[in-house]
Amino acid sequence: MTTTSYDTPRWNPQHPGPMPYHRYRPFHERVDVPAEDRSWPSARIERAPLWVPVDLRDGNQALAEPMDTARKRRFFDLLTRVGFKEIEVGYPSASRTDFDFVRHLVHLVRTGAVPDDVTPVVFTPARRDLIDRTFDSIEGLPRAVVHLYIPTSPVWREVVLGRDRAEVWETVRDAAAHMIRRADAMPSSYVRFQFAPETFNLTEPDYVLELCDGLTELWDASPDRPVTHNLPATVEIATPNVYADQIEYMHRHLARRDSVILSVHPHNDRGTGVACAELAVLAGAQRVEGCLFGNGERTGNVDLVTLALNLYAQGVDPMVDFSDLDGVRETVEHCNRLPVHPRHPYGGDLVHTAFSGTHQDTISKGLTHHARTAAELGVPAGRAPWAVPYLPIDPADVGRTYEAVIRVNSQSGKGGVAYLLKTHHGVDLPERMRPDFSRVVQEATDASGREATPKEVYELFRATYLLPEGDVLLHAWSTHREPSGAHRFVCTLQVGDRFGDYEGTGNGPLSAFTDALAGAGLRVDILDFHEHATTTGPDSEAVAYAQCRVEGVTRWGAGRDTSVLTASVQAVLAAVNGAGAL
């Protein structure tokens, strides 16, 4: 067969070449997903689900160096401070460290260090001895959720458990009944139950429904004591819409639906954990388990920070407080001993940063427009409606300043350079001057191969426009207005090796200055001029900009002084020297 550019190559095991995709089966050959009339595509998320961080259990077991009690305590304090109301705190039967931490929480509750509205969750496999160890750990907690799990998909049943469907149900029922007995023996604690059919997304839907409904009945779930059924995408196998179909099927068919909290637990093997969680909520999920910044086994659990701030960016209260996101990230990095990627959504160092010239120019205009809109509405900028291009949320809302929004390298343009000068140094370049200075900065960053700091950008501006090297020096000068209304400019000039006293007249001080320069043999025309104050108040300075044609060469110059007139004269003189007319 002749293969053309648009033919799909066939795998031939006798000849190396294409990757052996034939070894893998698509999801529809692995699990039946009932195709019912979908309602989730037209749904909207109008309120936040219950977020449940599992950093202290699922996230912790994925760490090369699991957290000790001190790091777990710091992480737990962060989670309560941010506002999470249900927190999975450990796997007490798996390690002494996890058991001890849960006992530490019992002590914290007794001292009032755990908020009354926070419920710890503990994780247990379906074995009586491990369930006993788990209940021993929570003795003394006023409230807790005990989370029972067992793998349920065909591959796990056959390869891992060596049990059929009926045998897995018997194991689960025995474990669930034992949980009831242990909970009944703790009358001073309010204990609720949670079940997770691990590998739910690979399990036959009718079997999951059989397991969940059986436990709902066994545990006698009611609206005032609901059971949580947590349906994990333990390993992602399909596009997010498939997971949404699976969740919607369960949402529609679960018994005692008003007594069930439908929870999801997406992982990120295909890179779609966030999308799976969002579509699952559209499909009926009320609770989402995940980790801050997506830590977890393999490619991680779904990221609760991204999910919450995605809602925030849609005008929905996320019900958690990430207004100090850098502080949250610092704690997470310390406890996990893993860095957060600089491009991680919302929390990375570079997510609000633009290097591209077109992006910088657009953001700069957007921020200016936002400030003007806020002023017109008579509200602080932090309360005005947000509509700045390229920035889905206001960086200030998560504790960021605007200093890092625009940074300059060889890809940057005039807008970004102008923004840095204005925000860091009070220099508001005229529009027509910006392309000129942008070329200066680009040449410097091309030569260095690195980013230019705001200080370095200002030094380039200073060297190019404020103090350019040249042969024209102004040693002394004064100006006054004649009775006729004309202005007279008197000065001592050094032009190369020549010194002299010169006078000029004009309809303003600058035109009189250029007339004096003409007397010294320098033909200067002012083509454009701007000036502004850097701030208001006693510390204010004036910055002036002059575009001049000097002996046929056009250049910009700038001046900076407490006096507007002095800054203006300096700007013209700087343009003359920048033109290198001698």
Side-chain angles (χ1 to χ4, degrees), residues 127-289:
R127 277 177 45 185
R128 286 194 182 193
D129 58 328
L130 301 182
I131 291 170
D132 284 337
R133 179 71 168 166
T134 302
F135 272 87
D136 289 346
S137 74
I138 63 171
E139 184 77 41
L141 284 177
R143 63 206 161 273
V145 173
V146 179
H147 182 179
L148 173 70
Y149 83 97
I150 193 168
T152 57
S153 66
V155 172
W156 265 256
R157 294 195 308 258
E158 296 165 12
V159 176
V160 181
L161 301 178
R163 301 172 194 174
D164 61 20
R165 286 173 51 152
E167 290 170 325
V168 169
W169 165 238
E170 286 300 321
T171 301
V172 170
R173 183 171 61 182
D174 180 74
H178 191 57
M179 289 168 61
I180 295 173
R181 290 190 290 271
R182 286 302 309 255
D184 288 345
M186 298 170 55
S188 62
S189 299
Y190 175 72
V191 179
R192 289 195 300 105
F193 301 136
Q194 175 174 334
F195 173 61
E198 189 184 10
T199 64
F200 153 78
N201 57 329
L202 276 166
T203 304
E204 306 93 328
D206 66 304
Y207 184 50
V208 176
L209 202 59
E210 177 186 328
L211 293 172
C212 291
D213 285 351
L215 291 179
T216 300
E217 181 178 357
L218 180 63
W219 283 333
D220 194 22
S222 61
D224 61 344
R225 197 185 185 96
V227 64
T228 298
H229 287 313
N230 187 43
L231 309 179
T234 307
V235 179
E236 283 193 304
I237 62 163
T239 49
N241 60 295
V242 174
Y243 189 54
D245 285 343
Q246 293 174 308
I247 298 302
E248 188 165 63
Y249 174 82
M250 297 297 293
H251 169 57
R252 289 176 174 176
H253 293 90
L254 281 168
R256 302 194 199 185
R257 185 64 186 87
D258 62 347
S259 303
V260 172
I261 298 171
L262 180 54
S263 175
V264 293
H265 181 111
H267 278 256
N268 201 42
D269 301 271
R270 292 169 52 95
T272 59
V274 167
C276 280
E278 291 180 332
L279 268 59
V281 172
L282 291 174
Q286 301 151 286
R287 179 182 184 271
V288 178
E289 293 187 349

Side-chain angles (χ1 to χ4, degrees), residues 50-61 72 76 79-80 84-94 97-99 101-103 105-106 109 114-115 117-125 131 133-135 137-139 141-149 179 190-196 219 226-230 261 263-265 287-290 304:
L50 175 63
W51 310 116
V52 181
V54 296
D55 301 82
L56 300 177
R57 196 275 302 173
D58 206 352
N60 185 58
Q61 69 187 39
K72 276 201 164 193
F76 180 81
L79 296 173
T80 59
F84 292 105
K85 302 305 180 187
E86 201 169 291
I87 302 170
E88 193 165 76
V89 295
Y91 192 159
S93 65
T97 301
D98 271 27
F99 184 91
F101 179 69
V102 179
R103 298 308 301 162
L105 288 183
V106 174
V109 167
V114 176
D117 60 351
V118 172
T119 301
V121 181
V122 287
F123 194 69
T124 182
I131 291 170
R133 179 71 168 166
T134 302
F135 272 87
S137 74
I138 63 171
E139 184 77 41
L141 284 177
R143 63 206 161 273
V145 173
V146 179
H147 182 179
L148 173 70
Y149 83 97
M179 289 168 61
Y190 175 72
V191 179
R192 289 195 300 105
F193 301 136
Q194 175 174 334
F195 173 61
W219 283 333
V227 64
T228 298
H229 287 313
N230 187 43
I261 298 171
S263 175
V264 293
H265 181 111
R287 179 182 184 271
V288 178
E289 293 187 349
L304 295 185

Side-chain angles (χ1 to χ4, degrees), residues 22-69:
H22 70 292
R23 302 175 61 207
Y24 305 97
R25 291 185 297 155
F27 78 90
H28 61 269
E29 294 181 5
R30 302 169 69 188
V31 62
D32 177 49
V33 179
E36 298 184 344
D37 181 32
R38 297 177 177 90
S39 63
W40 63 261
S42 60
R44 293 183 181 178
I45 303 177
E46 296 178 338
R47 57 177 296 177
L50 175 63
W51 310 116
V52 181
V54 296
D55 301 82
L56 300 177
R57 196 275 302 173
D58 206 352
N60 185 58
Q61 69 187 39
L63 299 177
E65 298 180 46
M67 289 179 256
D68 55 20
T69 296

Side-chain angles (χ1 to χ4, degrees), residues 313-549:
Q314 295 292 310
V316 177
D317 184 354
M319 303 300 289
V320 283
D321 181 5
F322 287 126
S323 59
D324 180 19
L325 193 54
D326 284 346
V328 171
R329 188 187 68 184
E330 179 186 359
T331 297
V332 172
E333 289 180 326
H334 169 80
C335 294
N336 287 342
R337 295 181 178 171
L338 287 173
V340 172
H341 194 280
R343 296 292 184 190
H344 193 97
Y346 298 107
D349 274 335
L350 297 178
V351 297
H352 302 297
T353 300
F355 290 100
S356 161
T358 54
H359 289 206
Q360 291 175 341
D361 188 52
T362 302
I363 291 171
S364 179
K365 290 176 179 176
L367 291 173
T368 299
H369 181 267
H370 177 72
R372 185 168 58 248
T373 299
E376 291 170 353
L377 294 173
V379 298
R383 294 295 178 183
W386 183 255
V388 175
Y390 293 119
L391 298 177
I393 65 170
D394 185 346
D397 289 352
V398 291
R400 294 283 180 88
T401 67
Y402 295 119
E403 292 183 4
V405 169
I406 292 177
R407 290 162 61 177
V408 170
N409 63 14
S410 60
Q411 302 299 310
S412 303
K414 60 184 185 298
V417 170
Y419 179 84
L420 288 187
L421 282 179
K422 182 177 181 180
T423 55
H424 290 273
H425 301 285
V427 174
D428 189 7
L429 292 182
E431 286 286 344
R432 292 180 57 187
M433 188 178 180
R434 294 179 183 185
D436 190 79
F437 185 48
S438 178
R439 285 190 291 271
V440 173
V441 174
Q442 189 168 38
E443 288 175 4
T445 51
D446 273 336
S448 68
R450 62 177 181 81
E451 178 185 354
T453 66
K455 181 179 179 182
E456 289 170 332
V457 170
Y458 182 74
E459 286 303 314
L460 284 171
F461 170 79
R462 185 173 175 273
T464 305
Y465 301 111
L466 286 176
L467 297 171
E469 294 183 1
D471 295 315
V472 182
L473 302 177
L474 185 61
H475 289 287
W477 62 275
S478 63
T479 182
H480 63 273
R481 193 167 186 173
E482 302 279 350
S484 63
H487 289 260
R488 181 173 296 277
F489 194 96
V490 179
C491 61
T492 300
L493 282 171
Q494 179 182 350
V495 182
D497 295 332
R498 296 182 291 111
F499 283 83
D501 295 326
Y502 300 93
E503 291 187 13
T505 58
N507 57 9
L510 294 187
S511 60
F513 179 36
T514 59
D515 190 45
L517 290 171
L522 295 170
R523 188 179 57 193
V524 179
D525 296 312
I526 300 175
L527 306 178
D528 199 358
F529 178 82
H530 299 267
E531 59 86 13
H532 65 82
T534 56
T535 59
T536 58
D539 297 326
S540 177
E541 287 186 309
V543 184
Y545 314 89
Q547 184 188 39
C548 300
R549 184 168 53 238

